[in-house]
Amino acid sequence: MDTGKSKEQRAEQRAEELKAGGFIPQRQRGKITVRCKAPGGRMTSERLAKIAEVARRYGQGVVHLSVRMSPEILYVDLSDLDDVVRELGEVGQEIASCGKRFRVTTACGGCEYNPNGWTDTQRLALEATDRFFGQETPHKFKTCFSGCVIDCMRSRQTDLGLQGMVRPSLDAEKCTRCGICVRVCQDEALTMAEDELPVRDTDRCTCCGDCIKSCPFDAMVPGRIGHAVYVGGKHGKHPHVAYPVAELVPDDTVMDVIEATMEWYRQHGNTGERIGNTFDRVGIDGFRRALRDVVGDGLLTAEDLQKHGWRSVFYRGLADTFPQYGALD
Amino acid sequence: MESQAMERQADEKIDLRGTPCPMNWVKTKLRLEELEQGQLLEVLLDDGEPMRNVPGSVKAEGHRIVEAAPLEHGFRLLIERAGDATQ
């Protein structure tokens, strides 16, 4: 069947098959790196112990934590792969993936235990991985969840990044007009009005939630919590900063956003082209139109991107290099 | 109750202006632990990062900030120590 192919082509095909299964051929002949699945970088101690045991028995007792949070068992013999997979499977440890497909979703600690997080990034990363892991796309498709605007997961450098945000709301009855919220805001989005109640400039606010956390009297409270949606980012040889396309998207819409983005990417992306490069080639408004059906009013416009709140989250001047978002009919 | 608390004198005072995060919170926490439930600790803090972090940590530990007043630079907080059960 493979007689028409050269030895190199067959080797390349075999390497692709291995990578699809999360096995990465090493520089050392016959040695394989086994990438273990850890959505959100979270791991039970039982699985971690098993990975350590397998690394000791089948590798050289070393594990590398990948850039996107997957523990990788190094120096496994190609001939031992079946045994390695079976042993890891005994504790429910699955193998991750490489190549042109939806990758394991990464996430920060989120609101479950991290004091900064506003969104449940861990739960959503698990759900996204369960639902989309391994689905094929024109090129690799990476997703991440950050729980707040600090954005530890670098949603702006990811194919599809979701970053937690919170719109504050003031309970005037509880406010003592102490002014802490005004002074802690790094974006000068809050000022004291005539009646000495803090007033929020919605154009300047980045929805970080510092005013909520620092309010001694719980007068500043979360109004609406949701996700900023960034699409088209990547690092690598030709880095690309993602475009912010939607804001305050609720939890129950997130999986639809991922699905719609992958669907648009499959329809418009060329094989081997990351989604950010597809935007460069065909423009972004087609995608924005598709996303509008999912996020509705959460869709960002050209005017929104000119506001301080959005401009301030990008490197100085970068927002000016963005393609113009057109008016959608 | 609250207005009474505001008129009460602080049982302990600590000036943490010039003390960076997270040591300002560590010192606040340790001093609060020396107090009895219901006693008041006055804390002076710098603007900026200390005010972004310390009030949230105080609340998360279950203590109550009963008064907050701006200083020329920084803030004065009056914190009521919570019972151990809520910590």
Side-chain angles (χ1 to χ4, degrees):
Chain A
M1 190 168 71
D2 277 338
T3 47
K5 292 183 177 171
S6 69
K7 193 179 168 189
E8 285 74 26
Q9 281 173 323
R10 283 199 300 276
E12 199 174 303
Q13 187 185 348
R14 174 68 177 142
E16 276 304 311
E17 284 168 8
L18 284 169
K19 279 164 71 178
F23 308 113
I24 309 159
Q26 291 190 190
R27 188 181 278 252
Q28 291 80 11
R29 197 179 173 83
K31 296 291 184 187
I32 301 291
T33 294
V34 177
R35 183 176 281 176
C36 298
K37 208 168 163 184
R42 187 155 168 149
M43 179 65 45
T44 61
S45 51
E46 185 189 30
R47 281 162 57 200
L48 201 53
K50 177 59 87 175
I51 288 170
E53 185 192 323
V54 167
R56 203 159 44 231
R57 191 176 316 152
Y58 294 96
Q60 295 183 358
V62 285
V63 172
H64 173 247
L65 298 178
S66 85
V67 171
R68 296 189 69 255
M69 305 178 137
S70 304
E72 297 173 331
I73 303 170
L74 309 183
Y75 295 101
V76 174
D77 269 331
L78 188 55
S79 55
D80 287 333
L81 284 188
D82 289 344
D83 291 333
V84 164
V85 171
R86 181 181 45 75
E87 287 210 22
L88 292 171
E90 286 170 6
V91 294
Q93 178 59 54
E94 297 174 29
I95 310 299
S97 183
C98 311
K100 298 179 175 70
R101 50 190 59 79
F102 185 98
R103 306 293 190 82
V104 173
T105 305
T106 58
C108 67
C111 67
E112 179 190 335
Y113 56 89
N114 186 302
N116 287 320
W118 289 108
T119 49
D120 196 350
T121 58
Q122 287 288 321
R123 178 179 65 76
L124 291 165
L126 201 59
E127 189 179 341
T129 304
D130 281 349
R131 189 150 156 196
F132 301 107
F133 173 75
Q135 287 188 16
E136 295 196 354
T137 41
H139 199 344
K140 62 180 81 169
F141 191 74
K142 298 177 182 177
T143 52
C144 72
F145 286 92
S146 281
C148 72
V149 300
I150 298 171
D151 195 25
C152 294
M153 298 317 300
R154 296 158 174 77
S155 59
R156 296 149 212 172
Q157 294 164 46
T158 306
D159 294 295
L160 175 56
L162 293 121
Q163 169 235 290
M165 59 196 302
V166 57
R167 180 183 285 164
S169 169
L170 182 71
D171 181 346
E173 297 273 299
K174 288 185 177 173
C175 181
T176 69
R177 298 147 169 86
C178 73
I180 287 180
C181 55
V182 174
R183 288 223 208 153
V184 300
C185 180
Q186 290 174 293
D187 293 284
E188 296 172 6
L190 289 166
T191 46
M192 281 299 193
E194 288 280 308
D195 60 359
E196 296 184 319
L197 283 174
V199 175
R200 193 172 67 101
D201 179 343
T202 54
D203 287 0
R204 294 195 68 85
C205 181
T206 62
C207 295
C208 72
D210 281 350
C211 53
I212 297 168
K213 280 184 289 183
S214 63
C215 177
F217 312 105
D218 294 332
M220 200 65 93
V221 292
R224 185 173 157 191
I225 294 172
H227 305 259
V229 181
Y230 290 94
V231 188
K234 66 191 276 289
H235 33 249
K237 205 194 284 181
H238 303 108
H240 198 303
V241 176
Y243 302 124
V245 287
E247 66 178 351
L248 287 164
V249 171
D251 277 3
D252 60 10
T253 307
V254 164
M255 296 304 141
D256 294 340
V257 167
I258 298 174
E259 184 149 26
T261 305
M262 288 175 73
E263 183 59 30
W264 183 89
Y265 183 31
R266 284 198 201 94
Q267 281 176 16
H268 297 89
N270 288 335
T271 301
E273 180 180 68
R274 295 286 284 274
I275 191 168
N277 296 113
T278 311
F279 294 143
D280 286 350
R281 185 170 55 78
V282 306
I284 198 168
D285 283 346
F287 171 71
R288 292 177 61 238
R289 201 169 280 116
L291 195 68
R292 184 178 56 181
D293 295 340
V294 179
V295 302
D297 289 347
L299 193 77
L300 293 169
T301 63
E303 292 73 44
D304 291 326
L305 293 199
Q306 290 304 318
K307 294 172 183 169
H308 170 89
W310 284 107
R311 288 179 68 90
S312 72
V313 299
F314 291 99
Y315 308 109
R316 200 173 291 117
L318 193 71
D320 293 329
T321 69
F322 282 5
Q324 182 69 30
Y325 286 10
L328 305 182
D329 39 59
Chain B
M1 277 301 285
E2 195 158 301
S3 59
Q4 278 178 356
M6 286 169 78
E7 286 158 20
R8 280 158 55 196
Q9 291 292 306
D11 296 287
E12 289 282 344
K13 294 181 180 185
I14 182 167
D15 186 350
L16 293 170
R17 288 175 295 183
T19 303
C21 298
M23 282 313 294
N24 46 17
W25 162 236
V26 172
K27 289 185 175 179
T28 301
K29 183 176 158 71
L30 291 175
R31 190 61 73 88
L32 279 166
E33 282 169 7
E34 289 168 6
L35 298 182
E36 301 291 326
Q37 179 178 353
Q39 284 191 302
L40 296 175
L41 175 66
E42 180 190 276
V43 185
L44 305 185
L45 291 161
D46 287 319
D47 277 326
E49 205 187 345
M51 288 311 295
R52 272 191 288 283
N53 294 331
V54 177
S57 300
V58 170
K59 287 193 288 178
E61 293 274 322
H63 305 295
R64 200 162 68 92
I65 300 172
V66 294
E67 196 181 323
L71 307 169
E72 191 183 348
H73 299 288
F75 272 88
R76 171 183 171 273
L77 300 181
L78 201 56
I79 305 167
E80 185 183 277
R81 192 214 197 276
D84 286 324
T86 60
Q87 285 181 65

